[in-house]
Amino acid sequence: MVFKMGDSQATPRPLQDHIVGHHALRGLAAISVAVMHLRLLSRMGLPDFGGAVTFWANEAVDLFFILSGFVFAYVYASDKPMNWPSFFVARFARIYPVYLLTLSVVIGLDFFTYLRHGVAYRTLLPTRILSNVFCVQSWVGHATSESINLPSWSVSVEVFLYLFALPVLFMSFGRRPIFGGRVTLTTLCVCGFVAAWCYTSGELHTAPRPLLRGIAGFSGGFILCGFLRGRNWNCPFSISSFLIGCCIVIATVHPQFRTGSLASKAGMWLGLALITYGTFDNSSLPGRIFSNRIFEFLGTISYSLYLWHIPTETFLRRLLTAITHNPDVEETTWFGWLLAVCVIVISAWSYYFFENPLRRMIRHWFHPKRSSTPVAEVTGSVAAETSNA
């Protein structure tokens, strides 16, 4: 079933090979998560803005899910049959090598600590290791407690979305979904309140909340892309949408206004959807701003940065504690600045010398048939940049 509206009479815009705004948003979201997990602002002696960054970082993961749903609808929606083997090879090559490498590093560090001190920071039960290796740790149980490398819980949710959510959305709405304004607004509101319920109904990372957040975000992004498709990819209110979305997010995370209520969380989620919509058009003001090389670089290394910041902190903290014999070295300002530099350098190395070359190598090894979807061929770089939730 496809929900349609009267197609816009505007001239269709050509498909963009690289959505610079979405690429930059992934980088900014990854940075915010790393700053929260590593307490970088306080460690570097910088103001924490009343905890606003920490408060925002949780929602940054919801932004990852929204962006994933949008880009997959943008790349793979077509009248022609979906080449699922090619799709899964591409997804495996994109996310699993870095995921497995960072997981192995964390396990290795904890095992070394266990051999030396008789205790490990994380409980390395065989069942826990296997659930992480197969990337299903967030499907049941407590997502962050079960994830050996803390941020990898959302990658586990992404795998669920690839296997189940995307096929169901295509079967439900067709391979070229077009959504009208009312349907889009209603669906986004429902998705926003589902995501908000996950925050207000108990422990955020207890099942099934992580999967529900992923489904809500992915579905919302998918619907949003279908709305733009019905508008022939024209986005006339991109600047207004972006500014309104930013104002909502800033107001929601500001210490004076944030309440953690269902309404405020739903408002935050809808603000993220507006920002996603407002950054779609590369020729708009937000698109031109995010085309800056710094944003491009952060977006490029975002997935590696997302998975490497915890292993980097663990290794650097233990190394410098052993060298300086100062158990409080991690609280010094110079440690915070050194940690920030090391995270960026290691993430850049990981992308340029491991993640990207190995992805190309895996796709070459498997020789998947080229997707019959014209959009996938046109927007290959968009598909390649997807998914660092």
Side-chain angles (χ1 to χ4, degrees):
M1 178 173 57
V2 178
F3 294 92
K4 294 186 178 181
M5 63 176 294
D7 286 351
S8 171
Q9 299 301 313
T11 302
R13 296 178 59 90
L15 293 173
Q16 301 173 144
D17 183 59
H18 181 56
I19 305 176
V20 295
H22 291 183
H23 191 62
L25 288 177
R26 274 187 287 273
L28 294 174
I31 285 287
S32 66
V33 172
V35 167
M36 178 191 70
H37 286 162
L38 303 181
R39 299 183 294 110
L40 269 182
L41 292 180
S42 60
R43 278 175 162 173
M44 297 168 70
L46 300 175
D48 64 356
F49 306 103
V53 174
T54 299
F55 189 86
W56 142 255
N58 283 319
E59 278 82 356
V61 180
D62 294 299
L63 179 59
F64 284 140
F65 295 139
I66 296 173
L67 292 171
S68 288
F70 186 101
V71 172
F72 281 118
Y74 185 72
V75 173
Y76 291 104
S78 170
D79 291 328
K80 296 185 178 181
M82 180 73 169
N83 189 331
W84 288 108
S86 177
F87 171 80
F88 286 118
V89 167
R91 292 300 90 213
F92 176 86
R94 175 69 176 95
I95 70 170
Y96 198 70
V98 176
Y99 173 89
L100 185 61
L101 177 61
T102 53
L103 173 64
S104 301
V105 169
V106 175
I107 291 176
L109 288 171
D110 278 2
F111 187 67
F112 175 80
T113 303
Y114 177 77
L115 292 178
R116 186 171 182 178
H117 301 289
V119 61
Y121 179 71
R122 301 163 184 84
T123 304
L124 300 178
L125 296 174
T127 53
R128 187 181 183 193
I129 293 175
L130 284 176
S131 69
N132 278 260
V133 168
F134 287 103
C135 210
V136 297
Q137 67 270 27
S138 295
W139 299 14
V140 294
H142 194 278
T144 54
S145 297
E146 291 300 317
S147 294
I148 296 175
N149 183 17
L150 179 61
S152 67
W153 71 266
S154 61
V155 182
S156 174
V157 174
E158 277 285 307
V159 171
F160 179 89
L161 299 176
Y162 301 156
L163 293 174
F164 302 105
L166 185 62
V168 168
L169 286 170
F170 278 148
M171 287 188 295
S172 300
F173 303 116
R175 288 295 313 284
R176 289 184 67 85
I178 297 176
F179 299 97
R182 292 181 181 178
V183 172
T184 300
L185 181 59
T186 301
T187 306
L188 290 179
C189 288
V190 171
C191 291
F193 276 102
V194 169
W197 175 84
C198 296
Y199 284 87
T200 59
S201 63
E203 170 54 49
L204 178 61
H205 294 100
T206 299
R209 293 170 187 82
L211 291 183
L212 287 177
R213 287 173 63 193
I215 293 170
F218 197 86
S219 301
F222 185 93
I223 299 295
L224 196 59
C225 184
F227 173 74
L228 272 170
R229 183 185 299 276
R231 298 282 183 176
N232 291 324
W233 306 116
N234 288 286
C235 188
F237 304 108
S238 57
I239 298 177
S240 301
S241 175
F242 177 73
L243 291 177
I244 293 172
C246 288
C247 288
I248 291 174
V249 170
I250 292 172
T252 307
V253 302
H254 194 281
Q256 184 176 350
F257 299 106
R258 66 173 183 246
T259 62
S261 65
L262 181 69
S264 67
K265 289 293 185 180
M268 163 70 85
W269 192 96
L270 291 173
L272 298 178
L274 286 173
I275 291 174
T276 301
Y277 176 85
T279 52
F280 166 74
D281 187 358
N282 290 345
S283 64
S284 67
L285 179 60
R288 293 196 298 272
I289 292 174
F290 285 131
S291 63
N292 183 277
R293 290 184 179 181
I294 294 177
F295 292 120
E296 175 70 20
F297 172 72
L298 291 177
T300 297
I301 69 169
S302 58
Y303 183 60
S304 283
L305 188 151
Y306 187 73
L307 288 180
W308 271 111
H309 67 270
I310 292 295
T312 301
E313 191 273 346
T314 302
F315 175 78
L316 189 64
R317 171 167 45 83
R318 295 180 184 181
L319 175 65
L320 292 180
T321 299
I323 292 175
T324 64
H325 303 289
N326 178 10
D328 298 322
V329 66
E330 64 181 290
E331 301 301 329
T332 59
T333 302
W334 66 267
F335 177 87
W337 285 95
L338 179 62
L339 176 59
V341 172
C342 287
V343 168
I344 295 295
V345 170
I346 291 175
S347 300
W349 171 89
S350 174
Y351 176 79
Y352 289 107
F353 297 102
F354 182 80
E355 177 186 337
N356 196 41
L358 197 57
R359 180 174 73 229
R360 295 176 182 274
M361 191 179 302
I362 291 174
R363 298 185 71 170
H364 176 73
W365 284 343
F366 283 90
H367 292 291
K369 295 181 180 179
R370 183 176 294 275
S371 173
S372 58
T373 306
V375 178
E377 296 178 8
V378 173
T379 58
S381 66
V382 177
E385 74 191 26
T386 308
S387 207
N388 53 318

